[in-house]
Amino acid sequence: MTDGNGPTTERARPRRLALWRTTTFRLTAIFVLIFVLFAVSLLGYIAYQSSILIQRQQLVDIERELGQLNREYQLGGTRALVLAIQRFARGPGPGIYFVADPSGVGIAGNVIDVPISVLEEPGQHTFAYERDRPSFGDEDPNRPEARGMALVRSFVLPSGYRVVVGRDIVERRSFAVIIFQAFFWGVIGIIVFSVIAGAISARRVLRRIDAIGATSRMIMTGDLGQRVPVTRRNDEFDGLATSLNAMLDRIEQLMQGMKDVTDNVAHDLKTPLTRMRNKVEAALRDDRDEDAAKRALESTIEECDHLIKTFNALLMIARVEAGTPASAFEQTDLSAVANDVGELYAPVLEDAGLDLKVEVPESLSLRANRELLGQALVNLLENAIKYVPRPDKGHSTVTIAAREAGENVILEVADQGPGIPEADRERVLERFVRLEKSRTEAGSGLGLSLVAAVAQLHKGRVEIDDNHPGAILRLILPRQTGETAA
Amino acid sequence: MKILIIEDDRDAASYLMTALDEAGHVTHHAGDGDTGYAMASSMDYDVLIVDRMLPRRDGLSIIESLRAENNKTPVLILSALGEVDDRVEGLRSGGDDYLTKPYAFSELLARIEVLARRSAPAEAATSYQVGDLSLDRLSRKVTRAEEDIQLQPREFRLLEYLMKHAGQVVTRTMLLENVWDYHFDPQTNVIDVHMSRLRSKIDRGQDNPLLHTIRGAGYMIRD
């Protein structure tokens, strides 16, 4: 666990997520599929349209040649027609020509035979044909293939001769095949490219997620110090990692707090319990003196009460730190709280030889939990009573002050006692911390912890300052606490 | 007084019953919410002591049902939950007072005695009289043996509360709650200091002190 970060552990750990199961990869796959479907339908449409276009062009060509043949026939009769057909048939190109006598026997052309149905019925036909090389025309190596499909028009001359003119359509089809092939390879290329791109980006995402998973597993095994790595890309994963880390910080802080509390509870509650047990045991052993037994019992109850108070204080801090529901927040007049608590404590302070001054404005309102603010102020005052020695001569004043400071409201208690050394100022807010010289004093060491917890609940903080001489304990609370907490 | 204790913890209940018997009260006990509700709604009690967390039916719902039936028997809620919210919730459901466990028996006794008395219609008195001490709530005048006593506003409220419950034990916590409206336990002898000041104003130089400290419990004003 000590060297448990970086790529070493990442490789050592089995991969939990398969590449193809990642969201990124699936999304890529879906997009590729949609794209392919789109491309295929586009291809089909283009092929269909171009095929129609070519057919139309072929029909126009056929019509034109028919017109030519017709003119030859008008001018020179059957003989001129047959000669013209022979001339056409010898020429290069995809043309198909055929002329038959009235009985249907072929007399000229470049195909071996034409089905009788084509000859009988004038009009447009499609049929399979075979080129006739040996009988008509020369050997031409560039001639189109010997077999194919033909699109033809046939008609019957007044003399009973039948003329068939057409075009080979295999060529037209091969054009469609070329288009299709181009699309096919294009689509294959896109699929391959997208799968690779999808896999790469899925892998990158996977690596980030695996890093988070690895961190969480390490945390689950008990290493709370682990944090999710944050890159410099500042992307959504870094955003997520940052919030996760903030959450982990908070959890670790709470766990540490819990651990400290447990340790301190163990120490600070065991001591009085042991003392109590010893006392009761001693009283039990000494069964002759009833008065002593009664005294022991009474002091046991006192110890019990003290323990209960400590417990209550602990529970209260825990509850406050966990955050009480905002329903307990109400519009509170801090000046009234300061005046009330001041008035409550003035006699006690006076008995301790301290003067109390309350310096607050007419009213100072904020959304807060009045009870907890009161309790915090009481704790601050009791802190002053405990640690400020009775002055030998002259006056020692404790001042409660409240005022506004921009967005914040400040409540402070200033005394003229020994003050708190700068090095200890953080520490005194922790639970059960009592500064060495005051260890002998009564008290649980929880008073200021509660003040800190109350400040935290109100989204504020506690500041400790020097009063030259003495200490100033200052609660700084944002005015709008209630709204943000709600 | 006739008291019903609705509490599922047998030890706690029997301790309470014994202690209340010794204090001269008649106690009944219900060990779960349903039984407790049945007993509370079918019999007449002076005070109900209701634990918040009970098997079968929780304490607050018992109180709510009783109040819905116009049953006005005073209720003291006992709870291990002591936070401000819980207290407010408890009182909102119709409870009259709220005590957090663990509690001192003297505190509980003082509270139920005050509760039982509260149901009597002495609430609206405009003046109180204890021996030769009298307090007028309207003119805010306090006199002892015809002599005016000057009191601070808070001292007046303190005395007013004590005199309203004359002859009854009033605990420090009750005073803090009712006179200062705070619900925490002060760590030092805050209330005692206030009481000694009040005592010095009303009992100084008198042969017959009215303000008594009840050891281990609180204070009482009586002739």
Side-chain angles (χ1 to χ4, degrees):
Chain A
M1 201 46 69
T2 43
D3 59 351
N5 52 19
T8 328
T9 45
E10 203 167 327
R11 236 179 286 130
R13 185 181 37 73
R15 173 144 283 171
R16 296 286 169 95
L17 280 167
L19 194 62
W20 57 272
R21 302 186 68 150
T22 61
T23 313
T24 316
F25 194 81
R26 287 178 180 186
L27 277 179
T28 313
I30 289 169
F31 279 126
V32 168
L33 192 67
I34 290 172
F35 175 79
V36 167
L37 284 177
F38 179 72
V40 166
S41 37
L42 190 68
L43 161 79
Y45 179 74
I46 289 176
Y48 175 71
Q49 285 296 331
S50 41
S51 148
I52 286 184
L53 193 74
I54 292 170
Q55 183 177 354
R56 204 176 291 149
Q57 186 58 48
Q58 286 180 332
L59 286 173
V60 167
D61 289 349
I62 290 169
E63 284 299 323
R64 194 187 36 156
E65 284 178 351
L66 279 176
Q68 274 177 16
L69 292 172
N70 200 30
R71 265 198 309 283
E72 295 282 347
Y73 177 71
Q74 302 279 335
L75 294 174
T78 311
R79 185 185 132 77
L81 172 75
V82 171
L83 283 176
I85 292 232
Q86 277 177 342
R87 199 175 62 240
F88 280 174
R90 263 201 305 277
I96 284 166
Y97 311 98
F98 190 78
V99 59
D101 65 13
S103 64
V105 177
I107 45 176
N110 55 3
V111 290
I112 292 171
D113 198 11
V114 169
I116 194 71
S117 60
V118 175
L119 298 176
E120 299 274 278
E121 250 175 79
Q124 191 171 317
H125 301 276
T126 305
F127 63 93
Y129 71 91
E130 198 172 336
R131 273 193 203 275
D132 181 14
R133 271 180 206 147
S135 345
F136 309 105
D138 322 308
E139 282 305 305
D140 183 354
N142 291 330
R143 259 194 168 341
E145 280 168 34
R147 284 164 192 282
M149 287 296 289
L151 170 71
V152 297
R153 280 186 75 90
S154 64
F155 72 92
V156 184
L157 297 174
S159 55
Y161 283 83
R162 290 165 172 92
V163 178
V164 174
V165 174
R167 283 290 185 273
D168 180 82
I169 56 171
V170 172
E171 197 179 339
R172 188 180 94 206
R173 288 196 176 153
S174 69
F175 175 73
V177 167
I178 288 169
I179 294 183
F180 174 76
Q181 278 177 342
F183 266 91
F184 177 78
W185 288 113
V187 166
I188 291 286
I190 284 165
I191 290 177
V192 169
F193 177 78
S194 319
V195 167
I196 291 171
I200 288 173
S201 56
R203 227 183 138 77
R204 283 168 59 121
V205 169
L206 202 60
R207 200 175 300 142
R208 309 283 298 270
I209 287 176
D210 275 349
I212 296 176
T215 309
S216 65
R217 276 190 294 279
M218 278 191 266
I219 289 171
M220 278 189 281
T221 59
D223 185 3
L224 267 178
Q226 288 294 329
R227 287 298 175 268
V228 179
V230 180
T231 65
R232 262 171 302 179
R233 263 166 287 187
N234 207 14
D235 53 14
E236 66 272 32
F237 280 102
D238 288 325
L240 177 66
T242 311
S243 344
L244 282 176
N245 286 344
M247 180 185 82
L248 290 171
D249 285 345
R250 177 80 180 125
I251 291 176
E252 192 183 15
Q253 191 191 330
L254 288 177
M255 290 293 290
Q256 188 58 45
M258 187 103 114
K259 191 177 165 301
D260 291 350
V261 170
T262 325
D263 292 353
N264 289 329
V265 166
H267 177 261
D268 275 60
L269 297 186
K270 254 174 141 176
T271 315
L273 277 173
T274 313
R275 206 161 50 220
M276 235 158 72
R277 191 181 187 287
N278 293 346
K279 244 182 239 175
V280 174
E281 215 170 24
L284 209 59
R285 246 198 326 267
D286 184 14
D287 53 2
R288 283 155 301 173
D289 189 349
E290 271 195 24
D291 269 1
K294 207 168 176 185
R295 274 199 305 279
L297 277 179
E298 274 171 1
S299 90
T300 304
I301 288 181
E302 250 169 60
E303 292 258 17
C304 260
D305 286 349
H306 182 72
L307 267 177
I308 288 168
K309 269 187 183 169
T310 307
F311 249 123
N312 283 342
L314 265 177
L315 283 177
M316 190 157 181
I317 293 171
R319 286 280 300 249
V320 169
E321 278 182 348
T324 49
S327 64
F329 277 64
E330 57 193 359
Q331 209 62 36
T332 304
D333 185 358
L334 192 59
S335 295
V337 173
N339 280 322
D340 285 354
V341 174
E343 187 239 37
L344 180 65
Y345 268 78
V348 185
L349 286 161
E350 204 175 295
D351 280 5
L354 304 169
D355 292 343
L356 177 71
K357 264 203 300 197
V358 181
E359 291 171 353
V360 295
E362 188 85 359
S363 93
L364 189 51
S365 118
L366 78 159
R367 278 194 70 78
N369 185 319
R370 173 180 165 276
E371 283 279 342
L372 289 178
L373 279 188
Q375 177 81 66
L377 185 53
V378 162
N379 286 13
L380 289 175
L381 289 176
E382 289 187 345
N383 191 63
I385 293 169
K386 245 174 257 165
Y387 298 127
V388 178
R390 176 181 289 276
D392 300 329
K393 53 183 169 34
H395 296 282
S396 185
T397 309
V398 173
T399 312
I400 303 175
R403 61 179 178 274
E404 267 180 89
E407 293 289 288
N408 296 324
V409 171
I410 291 177
L411 175 66
E412 65 181 31
V413 172
D415 64 49
Q416 296 176 335
I420 299 171
E422 211 160 333
D424 292 326
R425 287 181 187 168
E426 283 278 316
R427 221 158 57 79
V428 293
L429 298 178
E430 290 168 19
R431 291 179 185 81
F432 292 111
V433 170
R434 281 173 283 170
L435 297 185
E436 232 20 79
K437 46 190 168 183
S438 57
R439 265 268 160 199
T440 48
E441 296 279 330
S444 58
L446 291 170
L448 293 187
S449 312
L450 181 73
V451 175
V454 169
Q456 196 192 322
L457 177 73
H458 290 81
K459 308 236 186 302
R461 60 182 197 279
V462 179
E463 235 177 47
I464 300 178
D465 225 334
D466 210 323
N467 197 26
H468 308 287
I472 302 178
L473 283 99
R474 194 174 287 142
L475 256 171
I476 302 170
L477 308 171
R479 219 172 221 292
Q480 299 304 325
T481 313
E483 278 159 40
T484 45
Chain B
M1 262 196 293
K2 203 169 150 192
I3 299 165
L4 174 64
I5 301 165
I6 311 180
E7 158 76 89
D8 59 322
D9 181 343
R10 288 198 169 278
D11 288 343
S14 76
Y15 162 71
L16 253 187
M17 286 171 80
T18 316
L20 286 170
D21 281 347
E22 275 169 19
H25 300 297
V26 179
T27 55
H28 289 173
H29 170 233
D32 66 74
D34 282 343
T35 320
Y37 171 68
M39 288 170 77
S41 58
S42 60
M43 279 181 268
D44 254 351
Y45 290 100
D46 295 300
V47 176
L48 306 179
I49 299 176
V50 181
D51 189 56
R52 252 191 93 149
M53 286 187 246
L54 289 167
R56 284 209 257 281
R57 182 163 188 181
D58 86 285
L60 296 192
S61 104
I62 296 177
I63 301 167
E64 276 161 11
S65 301
L66 289 175
R67 292 298 184 249
E69 290 160 18
N70 212 18
N71 182 329
K72 293 199 176 96
T73 314
V75 175
L76 172 67
I77 303 170
L78 285 185
S79 170
L81 313 165
E83 295 308 311
V84 181
D85 289 3
D86 307 318
R87 181 188 303 275
V88 169
E89 211 177 284
L91 298 184
R92 203 175 284 154
S93 75
D96 298 280
D97 203 353
Y98 195 100
L99 195 56
T100 308
K101 288 179 182 175
Y103 50 84
F105 177 72
S106 54
E107 183 77 39
L108 178 125
L109 187 64
R111 280 170 190 262
I112 59 172
E113 283 179 350
V114 164
L115 276 185
R117 188 74 64 87
R118 193 191 287 175
S119 61
E123 202 72 10
T126 56
S127 67
Y128 300 119
Q129 185 81 38
V130 174
D132 53 357
L133 176 71
S134 71
L135 175 144
D136 190 321
R137 293 176 69 193
L138 299 178
S139 65
R140 305 191 78 76
K141 251 174 83 166
V142 177
T143 56
R144 174 132 200 217
E146 311 289 305
E147 250 177 75
D148 279 0
I149 300 176
Q150 296 303 319
L151 292 181
Q152 302 290 327
R154 191 73 66 176
E155 289 168 340
F156 182 86
R157 286 182 58 186
L158 199 52
L159 184 62
E160 183 185 12
Y161 185 77
L162 284 163
M163 290 181 79
K164 183 176 161 191
H165 300 291
Q168 294 179 306
V169 176
V170 174
T171 66
R172 291 171 180 82
T173 325
M174 285 162 76
L175 288 171
L176 188 68
E177 281 179 19
N178 290 288
V179 177
W180 277 274
D181 192 23
Y182 279 104
H183 293 90
F184 44 74
D185 277 336
Q187 298 266 336
T188 45
N189 52 341
V190 190
I191 301 295
D192 293 341
V193 179
H194 282 273
M195 286 305 291
S196 80
R197 296 195 170 201
L198 181 63
R199 176 177 278 146
S200 75
K201 286 194 178 174
I202 64 170
D203 276 346
R204 177 175 294 166
Q206 304 283 341
D207 302 332
N208 171 27
L210 298 175
L211 205 49
H212 302 272
T213 304
I214 312 296
R215 201 162 159 264
Y219 296 93
M220 185 196 285
I221 200 160
R222 73 175 136 76
D223 195 359

